Amino acid sequence: MSEQLKTAIVRIFQSKTQMVVGTGFLIAPTQVMTCAHVVANALGIEATDFPPAEAEVTLDFPFVHMGHFLSGRIVCWKPVHEGNSTPPADGEDIAVLELPEPFSEKVHALLLVSPRMPQGRSFQVCGFPQGYQQTGMWVDDGRLQEEVATGWFQLKAEEVPGRFIEQGFSGAPIWDIEAGGVLGMVVAADRDPQVKTAFMIPSVILTKAWPPLAKPYRGLSAFREEDEPFFYGRDTFLDDELLSAVRTKPLVAVIGSSGSGKSSVVFA
């Protein structure tokens, strides 16, 4: 699994009980994205309500420093519409939390990706369901299915045995193994665990919900020198592999699928 993915994952806690209520991930040095219903659970309010202006959410980065609690201020709130028991038609259920300062130099924001044909792509995801709230639980046998009428995408387990995405995964980033980026965010799972089906808000909708993501999110356009503040996640490859290769070999080929970041890495 990607070390960058692990370090960018956060657990979100219920303020009174300190129980884990969901997951989130770093999208900028001081910003965490998750589901609005996760934040509502953390604050003890209804998913359709608006949180108090002074409300803050408790979280930590469990794969970096478990139990080092931080507070996030709500800066984006796209709640589920009242009366909707099924996915809302315009893809809401998104929240962004602002941290007072960057947490650690070991943690970098995750890059959102949007392949032209996402169906069938394999992914990894980590959540904190009951029984795994301390350790986390990884799912790496899922594939992206078709888009549903809400704009969300269906997620399906390839293998019937074993556990799949369930309560405790909401807000988790869906990591595209091939492209090395976030395809979207877990938002819902079927109540019947035997069905092994869940839903994802795709990166396109996440970007529209939080406009600051639009600048670093360049789709299939390569990152340029002026985009340096938004280029994350390739440090190990650049420093340990690519630079070493070009210093010792007369020709180096950078190969990857469309949209995986080849040109951005070369320009970096």
Side-chain angles (χ1 to χ4, degrees):
M1 65 196 67
S2 166
E3 190 67 22
Q4 182 202 1
L5 171 62
K6 286 177 62 177
T7 58
I9 289 173
V10 306
R11 293 185 301 176
I12 297 175
F13 296 83
Q14 214 279 340
S15 23
K16 292 183 179 179
T17 65
Q18 292 301 298
M19 294 293 292
V20 179
V21 293
T23 311
F25 61 103
L26 202 69
I27 57 170
T30 60
Q31 292 175 352
V32 168
M33 179 169 277
T34 185
C35 291
H37 79 262
V38 170
V39 173
N41 288 341
L43 298 176
I45 63 176
E46 296 294 328
T48 54
D49 292 343
F50 280 83
E54 70 281 2
E56 292 189 342
V57 177
T58 302
L59 57 89
D60 74 351
F61 288 83
F63 296 108
V64 180
H65 193 164
M66 180 178 287
H68 181 86
F69 297 116
L70 307 169
S71 293
R73 179 175 55 88
I74 302 166
V75 293
C76 174
W77 185 250
K78 306 285 185 180
V80 178
H81 285 320
E82 187 171 4
N84 278 339
S85 57
T86 56
D90 43 6
E92 278 97 343
D93 203 353
I94 300 167
V96 176
L97 308 174
E98 180 79 31
L99 305 178
E101 59 185 11
F103 171 60
S104 168
E105 293 181 355
K106 299 178 182 179
V107 177
H108 297 289
L110 299 180
L111 177 69
L112 273 65
V113 297
S114 183
R116 291 179 178 176
M117 298 185 65
Q119 293 85 349
R121 296 180 81 92
S122 57
F123 64 83
Q124 291 178 326
V125 61
C126 179
F128 300 90
Q130 188 171 2
Y132 295 85
Q133 295 195 339
Q134 292 297 314
T135 61
M137 189 180 85
W138 288 88
V139 170
D140 56 8
D141 64 345
R143 284 196 179 272
L144 202 61
Q145 303 295 307
E146 294 297 323
E147 181 180 3
V148 296
T150 60
W152 294 358
F153 277 82
Q154 188 171 324
L155 309 169
K156 191 74 174 177
E158 286 202 286
E159 302 293 335
V160 175
R163 299 178 68 167
F164 192 54
I165 295 169
E166 55 188 275
Q167 186 176 358
F169 278 82
S170 291
I174 295 292
W175 183 257
D176 187 318
I177 299 171
E178 185 178 358
V182 176
L183 285 166
M185 178 175 70
V186 176
V187 67
D190 197 288
R191 294 183 182 275
D192 183 354
Q194 301 303 317
V195 176
K196 299 189 185 303
T197 297
F199 295 92
M200 172 194 86
I201 304 176
S203 57
V204 171
I205 292 180
L206 299 179
T207 302
K208 290 179 180 178
W210 183 236
L213 276 174
K215 186 171 183 180
Y217 179 77
R218 297 185 52 78
L220 294 179
S221 300
F223 280 74
R224 304 156 299 177
E225 184 175 350
E226 57 265 37
D227 299 314
E228 187 273 335
F230 307 109
F231 189 75
Y232 300 102
R234 298 293 188 269
D235 295 348
T236 300
F237 177 74
L238 288 172
D239 298 339
D240 298 342
E241 300 181 37
L242 185 57
L243 285 178
S244 175
V246 298
R247 287 168 177 160
T248 57
K249 300 177 181 180
L251 177 65
V252 177
V254 179
I255 302 172
S257 61
S258 177
S260 63
K262 301 182 297 296
S263 297
S264 298
V265 161
V266 170
F267 290 147

